[in-house]
Amino acid sequence: MTSTSPSRSSSGWFLVCIAGPDQGKRLALSNGRFVAGRGARCHLLCDDPDVADEFATLDFDGSQLRVRALTTLTPFIDGHPVNDASLAAGQQLRLGRSIWRIDAPGSTDTVLGFVSRIGDHLSSAAGVEKPREWNAREMFADVTKKHADEEIESFFTVGTATTTPALGAIDATWPKPWIFVRVFGMVLVLYVLFAYAWNQFYNENLIPGLIMIGAVAVPLALLIFFFEVNVPRNISLYQVVKLVLFGGLVSIVVSLFFFQWTNLDNVLGAAAAGIIEETGKGLTLLLVVRKPRYRWTLNGLLLGAAVGTGFAVFESAGYAFRAGVDDGGSAAAMFHSITERGLLSVLGGHVLWTGLVGAALWRVRGDQPFRSDMLVNPKFLRVVAICMLMHMIWNYDGINPPLYGKYVILGAAAWLLVLGMIQDGLKQVRSAQAPTAATAPATSTT
């Protein structure tokens, strides 16, 4: 095969590997053709074992990079296999198992570059790799597709001895959750109908249903999201529901004891909840951390989210009830409390924070039997400390930027860490699958 040498002049554009075996490599792009592969004649030399000697050609025209496959093992752009396609700045290219991204001139000085650097610092502080493999469009591609009810029923039939997939059968690619959107839409419609009925009839018998649906709606949808990303599929819906109910109650009771014993709220005010409640929920996870069948980081993410869901539902229902019956309270106050807490919980709150704590604990435990000294492992404590700090800032009334800015920033931070934990959990599964894959006959995909 012949190829033209690219121009020597640099355009300020770079192809940067952000994840995989070639992570850290950079290629300065200029007009002309590049050959990517493991062969000595290639302009982009890859160390990725899944890349052929001459894997693909890369033609740069000053603003876009055209990718052409040279083998039956095709490249991917934003998660989609391609034989001949172009990508622009910000899009991701996968060659083998390595993820590459085009950086435009000056992109590191933009607002997005600043946000990216903040994310780097946050991930480093938590000891979690930044989610470089994540692609939003690809992850949520199935949300808009039509799905039959049978798909949902089948999806939740997991976690038993006969429905848990074998290690080699686990799909460790980035999950594509969509059921959580269905669930959220359903409970949202129920809440709107309850609200309409109340405004029409003012029947007090509707109030418990309003509180119940309002408190459950968003936490339940988030919990379903974590159920969907638990790719080992080894935790049944029954176990999740049981932990939501018992874990939620136990964590609230433990937290109330801590409030009573420490009087920390008299010193820190509402911010004390960040320390006390995260401790209470974290300790509640000890109810299940000893079970050897739950050995994956993604298991901890789901189990932590289950405890956080129970805590969030019970607490939100309590706040809504108080808003409706306290002196000066009203139905309007109850509506405001339940709606605001529900919507803001998308950006942060007990489900996300406790999910992160659970993922950190399971990441430390791994395949080993649980030991008490794991609770003081720095990898675990760093995540706990960050969740406590986010919770404290969330509750602190002294920081109140306009347009809910505080919650948006904290929510972005929490979701960045959640995505990092998902990426870490997927890598853990792939690593466990590697010995099995090495002994299996090699196959190629087109």
Side-chain angles (χ1 to χ4, degrees), residues 207-396:
I207 292 179
L210 266 170
I211 294 176
M212 179 170 58
I213 296 299
V216 164
V218 176
L220 177 62
L222 290 174
L223 180 61
I224 297 300
F225 171 85
F226 289 112
F227 191 88
E228 291 184 89
V229 301
N230 180 46
V231 299
R233 320 294 295 143
N234 62 332
I235 302 178
S236 68
L237 186 60
Y238 164 74
Q239 296 294 340
V240 171
V241 171
K242 184 171 69 172
L243 193 57
V244 168
L245 298 176
F246 286 97
L249 179 58
V250 169
S251 59
I252 285 180
V253 171
V254 171
S255 298
L256 290 174
F257 273 119
F258 283 162
F259 275 113
Q260 185 178 46
W261 294 336
T262 64
N263 289 319
L264 196 58
D265 51 328
N266 293 330
V267 179
L268 298 177
I275 299 175
I276 292 176
E277 292 178 359
E278 295 310 315
T279 301
K281 291 181 294 178
L283 291 176
T284 302
L285 288 172
L286 298 181
L287 294 172
V288 287
V289 73
R290 297 179 182 276
K291 295 186 177 182
R293 62 179 294 195
Y294 304 145
R295 64 188 182 101
W296 306 106
T297 298
L298 294 173
N299 294 166
L301 191 64
L302 172 57
L303 296 171
V307 172
T309 297
F311 195 105
V313 169
F314 297 149
E315 185 183 57
S316 292
Y319 275 112
F321 176 78
R322 286 175 54 186
V325 302
D326 280 355
D327 290 341
S330 64
M334 180 193 68
F335 274 116
H336 176 76
S337 172
I338 204 72
T339 302
E340 182 179 61
R341 288 181 62 86
L343 293 177
L344 289 180
S345 62
V346 175
L347 299 174
H350 299 294
V351 182
L352 300 187
W353 298 329
T354 316
L356 286 170
V357 171
L361 181 58
W362 262 257
R363 187 170 60 146
V364 169
R365 199 206 76 174
D367 294 333
Q368 308 171 48
F370 174 75
R371 304 186 310 273
S372 59
D373 64 323
M374 293 177 178
L375 297 176
V376 294
N377 187 299
K379 290 184 178 180
F380 171 66
L381 292 179
R382 288 161 74 177
V383 175
V384 173
I386 288 176
C387 291
M388 286 182 175
L389 181 61
M390 287 193 291
H391 194 162
M392 293 175 71
I393 296 173
W394 186 283
N395 283 16
Y396 180 54

Side-chain angles (χ1 to χ4, degrees), residues 135-153:
N135 181 279
R137 184 169 62 181
E138 178 66 17
M139 186 174 189
F140 299 113
D142 287 352
V143 168
T144 57
K145 295 180 180 179
K146 290 185 178 180
H147 300 278
D149 289 343
E150 289 77 10
E151 290 184 70
I152 300 178
E153 295 168 358

Side-chain angles (χ1 to χ4, degrees), residues 64-110:
Q64 288 190 328
L65 188 68
R66 186 170 185 177
V67 182
R68 293 184 178 90
L70 297 177
T71 72
T72 56
L73 300 173
T74 60
F76 287 73
I77 293 180
D78 288 344
H80 299 283
V82 297
N83 287 304
D84 187 344
S86 298
L87 72 157
Q91 289 188 285
Q92 292 185 350
L93 168 68
R94 177 156 70 87
L95 303 176
R97 286 182 290 158
S98 298
I99 309 296
W100 299 77
R101 182 187 65 211
I102 292 183
D103 283 348
S107 61
T108 56
D109 298 326
T110 63

